[in-house]
């Protein structure tokens, strides 16, 4: 899914806390500021009834509510020019963090500020219409992102060329026929060509081939050199080490470590190893 705010002027977006407190805007070299962020998901589901309950209630299930605390008090800043790797196990809260920063879901507590236009590449292919071709989706994505029709038309060819480079032509085929790597190419190309100040990438590179990854890394480097900020969620620790100059590690909704990507990925690997060997990970 790709989203982009409309104005070309950098602007301050502040989401108020639940208690109504709105922090004062101030000029900084920050791109992102996250303070004591909590996100709690509430879901209702059908409890599976016992045989007796099912008979008595004629098969009607019992509604139950479950809450998941996906983020539990996360705080950090991202300066312009930083490519921040976000690592951690499945369910650690990484995608949730990006969703809040992209404004897709609100914080349950705490606050989040972003300076500039954010472009988000969340889960692969989300936001694309599978029945339409890649080119049509690029057009729609650009319009949804608030670009004018002329801007979109001007950029479409460029985005399509970048997506296809070094591979067979696929851009005019329906996206339901795409391989996951072709999907990733289109998503990534749209995201980076929208001129974002803050680029958020959630596992978009993992299915790309070596050629695509190299060009993607180059593109990210280019954006970083223009003092843009980037958040890069990945399980590919090598990519994180290669692309990022800063890193955070989330575990069960908490930020457990921040530092140089080499150190943080090494600590994370060590932690995984400790878990595997059955030692008490709480000690670390
Ligand atoms: N819409 C939702 N409703 C309820 N719970 C959710 C929802 N989305 C995520 N969760 C839960 O929140 C927690 C964090 O999920 P999240 O997707 O942020 O993890 P992640 O770090 O991105 O994991 P992965 O590496 O598997 O992508 C998980 O326990 C997940 O089950
Ligand atoms: Mg995720």
């Amino acid at each position: 899914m790709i989203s982009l705010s409309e104005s070309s002027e950098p602007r301050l977006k502040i989401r108020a806390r639940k208690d109504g407190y709105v922090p004062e805007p101030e000029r900084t070299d920050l791109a992102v500021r996250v303070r004591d962020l909590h996100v709690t998901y509430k879901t209702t589901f059908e409890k599976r009834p016992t045989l007796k309950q099912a008979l008595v209630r004629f098969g009607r299930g019992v509604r139950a509510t479950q809450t998941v605390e996906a983020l539990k008090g996360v705080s950090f800043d991202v300066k312009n020019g930083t490519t921040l790797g976000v690592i951690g196990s499945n369910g650690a809260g990484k995608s949730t963090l990006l969703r809040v920063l992209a404004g897709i879901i609100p914080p349950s507590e705490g606050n989040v500020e972003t300076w500039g236009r954010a472009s988000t590449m969340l889960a692969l292919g989300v936001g694309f219409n599978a029945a339409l071709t890649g080119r049509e989706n690029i057009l729609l994505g650009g319009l949804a992102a608030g670009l004018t029709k002329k801007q979109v038309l001007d950029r479409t060819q460029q985005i399509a060329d970048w997506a296809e480079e070094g591979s067979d032509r696929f851009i005019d085929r329906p996206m339901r026929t795409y391989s996951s790597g072709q999907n990733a190419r289109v998503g990534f190309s749209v995201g980076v060509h929208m001129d974002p100040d803050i680029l958020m990438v959630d596992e978009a590179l993992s299915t790309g081939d070596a050629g695509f990854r190299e060009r993607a890394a180059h593109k990210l480097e280019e954006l970083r050199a223009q003092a843009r900020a980037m958040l890069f969620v990945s399980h590919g620790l090598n990519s994180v080490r290669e692309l990022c100059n800063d890193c955070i590690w989330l575990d069960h909704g908490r930020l457990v470590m921040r530092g140089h990507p080499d150190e943080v990925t090494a600590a994370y690997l060590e932690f995984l190893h400790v878990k595997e060997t059955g030692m008490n990970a709480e000690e670390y």
Side-chain angles (χ1 to χ4, degrees):
M1 171 163 176
I2 293 134
S3 67
L4 193 81
S5 43
E6 192 173 308
S7 92
S8 56
E9 281 297 304
R11 65 193 180 119
L12 175 63
K13 230 188 315 181
I14 298 180
R15 272 170 219 114
R17 295 195 318 205
K18 241 186 179 172
D19 61 11
Y21 166 78
V22 180
E24 280 294 307
E26 54 183 89
R27 296 209 71 82
T28 63
D29 58 350
L30 291 183
V32 171
R33 180 158 63 194
V34 176
R35 285 288 174 273
D36 193 28
L37 175 63
H38 291 255
V39 174
T40 305
Y41 292 106
K42 284 197 179 64
T43 34
T44 55
F45 62 99
E46 291 272 309
K47 249 188 187 167
R48 195 197 298 178
T50 62
L51 179 62
K52 188 178 164 199
Q53 279 170 342
L55 292 173
V56 172
R57 297 170 60 86
F58 298 105
R60 277 180 292 138
V62 182
R63 303 291 300 172
T65 310
Q66 195 185 28
T67 57
V68 178
E69 284 184 75
L71 293 172
K72 304 169 187 162
V74 171
S75 301
F76 66 95
D77 296 334
V78 184
K79 284 189 177 157
N80 289 316
T82 301
T83 303
L84 182 78
V86 182
I87 62 170
S89 311
N90 294 135
K94 304 179 299 296
S95 299
T96 301
L97 176 65
L98 290 204
R99 274 183 224 130
V100 178
L101 289 173
I104 294 167
I105 53 171
S108 308
E109 268 177 64
N111 63 70
V112 159
E113 297 161 77
T114 54
W115 285 264
R117 303 192 309 160
S119 169
T120 321
M121 280 173 270
L122 299 179
L124 287 182
V126 176
F128 288 133
N129 182 334
L132 302 179
T133 68
R135 191 184 303 277
E136 288 163 341
N137 273 294
I138 294 172
L139 275 162
L140 281 182
L143 291 174
L147 300 184
T148 65
K149 197 174 162 196
K150 182 173 182 319
Q151 282 173 321
V152 173
L153 289 173
D154 287 349
R155 284 189 210 183
T156 296
Q157 191 58 41
Q158 193 190 354
I159 294 171
D161 288 347
W162 198 91
E164 280 186 334
E165 196 180 313
S167 100
D168 295 337
R169 296 198 63 85
F170 56 81
I171 209 74
D172 291 308
R173 291 192 343 228
M175 283 192 80
R176 68 182 148 70
T177 68
Y178 283 18
S179 69
S180 41
Q182 288 167 338
N183 234 305
R185 281 167 174 257
V186 177
F188 190 87
S189 188
V190 174
V192 292
H193 285 93
M194 293 291 166
D195 239 2
D197 298 304
I198 306 166
L199 181 64
M200 295 183 243
V201 182
D202 194 347
E203 277 295 345
L205 304 186
S206 52
T207 51
D209 58 31
F212 167 72
R213 283 153 88 126
E214 207 180 307
R215 287 190 308 121
H218 189 74
K219 197 78 198 167
L220 293 180
E221 192 55 50
E222 216 177 279
L223 290 173
R224 193 172 86 191
Q226 294 163 10
R228 312 293 174 91
M230 228 169 297
L231 280 90
F232 181 69
V233 171
S234 184
H235 291 288
L237 300 184
N238 285 333
S239 304
V240 169
R241 278 191 287 260
E242 280 162 26
L243 294 172
C244 302
N245 56 0
D246 200 350
C247 187
I248 59 174
W249 164 19
L250 295 180
D251 187 64
H252 291 93
R254 292 203 167 84
L255 197 158
V256 285
M257 189 174 173
R258 166 148 201 189
H260 191 277
D262 288 345
E263 284 165 21
V264 180
T265 53
Y268 175 54
L269 281 174
E270 167 117 342
F271 168 80
L272 293 180
H273 181 68
V274 166
K275 253 187 14 185
E276 263 168 26
T277 52
M279 284 168 64
N280 183 6
E282 296 296 328
E283 292 169 12
Y284 290 81

